[in-house]
Amino acid sequence: MKSEALARVASACITAVLAAQPYSTWMTDSIMAINVPKTRYYTEATFYRGVEYVYNATHDEKYKWYLSSQIDAILTDNGSFVNWNPNSRQLDSIRVGETLLFLWGQMGEERYRNAIAFLHDELLAQKRTDEVAFWHKDPEYPNQQWLDGLFMGDTFYAHYTALFEPTNQTAWDDIVLQFDLMEKHCRDPKTGLLFHGYDQSHQREWADPVTGASPHLWDRGIGWYFMALLDVLDWLPQSHPGYEKLVNYFTSLAKALRKSWDCKQGGWWLVMDAPYPGMKGNYIESSGTAMFVTGFLKGMRKGFISRKEYEKFTLKAYDIMAAKFVGRNETSGALTWEGTVKVGSLSGNATYEYYIDQPIQRNMLNGVGPFIYASAEIEALRGQLQM
Ligand SMILES: *[C@@H]1O[C@H](CO)[C@@H](O)[C@H](O)[C@H]1NC(C)=O
Ligand SMILES: *[C@@H]1O[C@H](CO)[C@@H](O)[C@H](O)[C@H]1NC(C)=O
Ligand SMILES: *[C@@H]1O[C@H](CO)[C@@H](O)[C@H](O)[C@H]1NC(C)=O
Ligand SMILES: *[C@@H]1O[C@H](CO)[C@@H](O)[C@H](O)[C@H]1NC(C)=O
Ligand SMILES: *[C@@H]1O[C@H](CO)[C@@H](O)[C@H](O)[C@H]1NC(C)=O
């Protein structure tokens, strides 16, 4: 009952706000104005994906020029990366490849193409487990595959393959296999959600003796994975035997996520496994929530889940999320994004205490980006912008 009322209030005030300016562009403009560091790091690249969404919807050139000016600061004239660290090879470094593919598609400049080729080489040179899953980070996290990595590396791998090697079956099989292995080790039969990662060598103290999986369901990890499934399905040929499999991974996860939405709080908990939802220190976290809402919206747009079943729920989840986590700076008029946890990693002991101890940060781009994706999707759905 309480959440019904909240949803009504939220819809009322958001409609008023949207009439003035859509959240997608408003949030993007607000974040652009506060000087996002010019790095090649995945956190910035997660925001850049939002800028790309907004460019596609508005065709306002300022968004394209913004992305090229951010990226040009990290490339030399011939497209090699400045400050590349050859001693740590990690999937996180591949994420910016999606932004490069976008810029190359828009501008056709050779240095972007060179940078793309370099990232592809780096990805293929990444060490792998015995079952040939990419390590998340070498040398730091040997034999570990994390949910995060599918969004960081596999989406670029699929996009690249679709553009440059569309008939390379070896590559497509390899891309699908990364999801198969994640499913094999981390899907939790009890909840239908996935544990954050696994260590195939079972060396880490947190590794389950049978599966190697880490012990907790972390919202943002699951969010990366949920979005990665859809982004890879944008490129994977429908004729590939993995296509139906990935659709099933997505739809079963969508079902489990819908069930784990807390209808009293109107969102998803940071640590999602029982008995932690509602427990002291745990909270409704905004980046995972935005990623799940994005997945539901895009999943409906692509026809993988039905509007009949999901639309009402998703609109409500979006409105409550926006009411809870969008703030406004009264001096500048800029929007802020609240409630996103700064980090969650398997580098430590992976306990409940570890996850809840991590700080929450305003305007954290891992949450801002997905909120922009969700906003662009919902505005298109509500007929406010063309996609
Ligand atoms: C934007 O459009 C380009 C070109 O059509 C496409 O490749 C890209 O995936 C789109 N990006 C998003 C975020 O929808
Ligand atoms: C690109 O330029 C950098 C120096 O700016 C140089 O170290 C590198 O070898 C060049 N790469 C190619 C492929 O020409
Ligand atoms: C096909 O993909 C595999 C794996 O990504 C790669 O090693 C191989 O070089 C590719 N082959 C061609 C002809 O591009
Ligand atoms: C609000 O905006 C003003 C003016 O741009 C800025 O000085 C201030 O730091 C902002 N406050 C917060 C909390 O972001
Ligand atoms: C795990 O690490 C957290 C800090 O991140 C600490 O508070 C907690 O006591 C540790 N737990 C164990 C069992 O070592």
Side-chain angles (χ1 to χ4, degrees):
M1 288 319 275
K2 227 165 87 199
S3 70
E4 286 289 344
L6 188 53
R8 269 199 305 280
V9 172
S11 310
C13 79
I14 280 162
T15 310
V17 165
L18 284 177
Q21 199 188 153
Y23 270 168
S24 65
T25 48
W26 194 353
M27 183 63 81
T28 302
D29 293 346
S30 300
I31 299 299
M32 278 164 57
I34 58 176
N35 294 328
V36 171
K38 297 182 179 189
T39 78
R40 56 182 172 75
Y41 205 52
Y42 77 89
T43 301
E44 280 72 37
T46 297
F47 170 63
Y48 298 159
R49 177 80 169 167
V51 181
E52 188 187 320
Y53 249 110
V54 164
Y55 174 77
N56 281 3
T58 62
H59 293 288
D60 185 335
E61 295 286 300
K62 81 174 177 193
Y63 297 114
K64 190 164 88 186
W65 295 120
Y66 172 77
L67 287 180
S68 67
S69 79
Q70 292 291 111
I71 293 295
D72 288 353
I74 59 169
L75 294 180
T76 67
D77 288 346
N78 65 18
S80 55
F81 285 90
V82 298
N83 299 326
W84 188 263
N85 176 4
N87 299 318
S88 173
R89 200 169 254 145
Q90 43 185 296
L91 297 184
D92 287 349
S93 300
I94 307 298
R95 180 64 217 174
V96 74
E98 282 280 48
T99 313
L100 285 158
L101 283 166
F102 170 76
L103 287 172
W104 185 71
Q106 293 295 324
M107 301 179 173
E109 287 183 28
E110 203 52 31
R111 64 211 160 91
Y112 295 140
R113 182 67 185 87
N114 289 344
I116 289 163
F118 173 78
L119 287 179
H120 185 249
D121 289 346
E122 282 288 302
L123 178 65
L124 291 190
Q126 182 73 0
K127 282 205 188 121
R128 299 186 186 234
T129 66
D130 297 345
E131 298 173 307
V132 303
F134 293 117
W135 290 12
H136 193 67
K137 215 188 238 199
D138 171 28
E140 291 88 341
Y141 310 138
N143 298 301
Q144 294 174 36
Q145 192 185 23
W146 300 8
L147 292 171
D148 319 42
L150 282 294
F151 188 76
M152 304 309 156
D154 230 36
T155 53
F156 168 79
Y157 194 2
H159 194 166
Y160 178 98
T161 302
L163 290 183
F164 303 114
E165 304 172 2
T167 60
N168 186 338
Q169 285 314 311
T170 312
W172 288 124
D173 293 349
D174 192 20
I175 288 161
V176 170
L177 182 62
Q178 304 304 309
F179 287 97
D180 291 341
L181 292 171
M182 208 70 240
E183 291 283 333
K184 171 181 166 189
H185 291 273
C186 289
R187 180 78 73 149
D188 170 27
K190 251 197 323 243
T191 58
L193 304 170
L194 290 95
F195 294 108
H196 188 177
Y198 66 92
D199 171 4
Q200 208 213 332
S201 64
H202 295 221
Q203 299 291 303
R204 291 300 306 267
E205 72 275 28
W206 46 250
D208 179 274
V210 177
T211 62
S214 65
H216 294 295
L217 303 169
W218 181 52
D219 72 331
R220 183 149 80 226
I222 299 169
W224 294 128
Y225 184 78
F226 195 45
M227 298 193 300
L229 280 163
L230 290 172
D231 288 359
V232 167
L233 282 164
D234 281 344
W235 308 114
L236 181 66
Q238 276 192 40
S239 57
H240 191 281
Y243 191 90
E244 276 311 307
K245 250 194 310 188
L246 262 55
V247 170
N248 288 334
Y249 296 157
F250 173 77
T251 54
S252 60
L253 183 52
K255 208 164 148 190
L257 282 170
R258 189 190 163 142
K259 228 161 84 187
S260 62
W261 188 69
D262 188 310
C263 63
K264 289 209 193 72
Q265 301 290 328
W268 284 270
W269 293 90
L270 175 81
V271 177
M272 300 172 75
D273 45 305
Y276 300 105
M279 196 172 269
K280 186 167 179 305
N282 206 357
Y283 53 92
I284 300 292
E285 199 276 330
S286 68
S287 69
T289 294
M291 291 173 181
F292 300 149
V293 171
T294 296
F296 288 119
L297 287 163
K298 182 167 175 182
M300 282 191 284
R301 171 162 64 82
K302 306 266 300 183
F304 299 136
I305 52 177
S306 78
R307 291 193 185 284
K308 198 165 149 261
E309 232 177 303
Y310 282 92
E311 190 170 270
K312 221 173 121 203
F313 161 73
T314 304
L315 295 181
K316 179 165 142 183
Y318 177 89
D319 287 342
I320 296 173
M321 164 177 77
K324 253 188 205 305
F325 297 120
V326 176
R328 190 165 172 193
N329 181 327
E330 297 303 337
T331 315
S332 64
L335 295 182
T336 62
W337 177 252
E338 310 293 335
T340 289
V341 70
K342 199 169 164 199
V343 69
S345 158
L346 296 174
S347 61
N349 63 22
T351 57
Y352 173 68
E353 288 70 30
Y354 162 77
Y355 285 104
I356 62 169
D357 273 357
Q358 302 314 306
I360 293 173
Q361 196 175 66
R362 168 171 296 150
N363 289 341
M364 173 68 198
L365 298 176
N366 292 339
V368 169
F371 175 68
I372 297 168
Y373 319 160
S375 298
E377 291 279 356
I378 208 162
E379 288 154 15
L381 181 67
R382 288 174 164 160
Q384 303 216 357
L385 290 172
Q386 299 297 314
M387 287 197 72

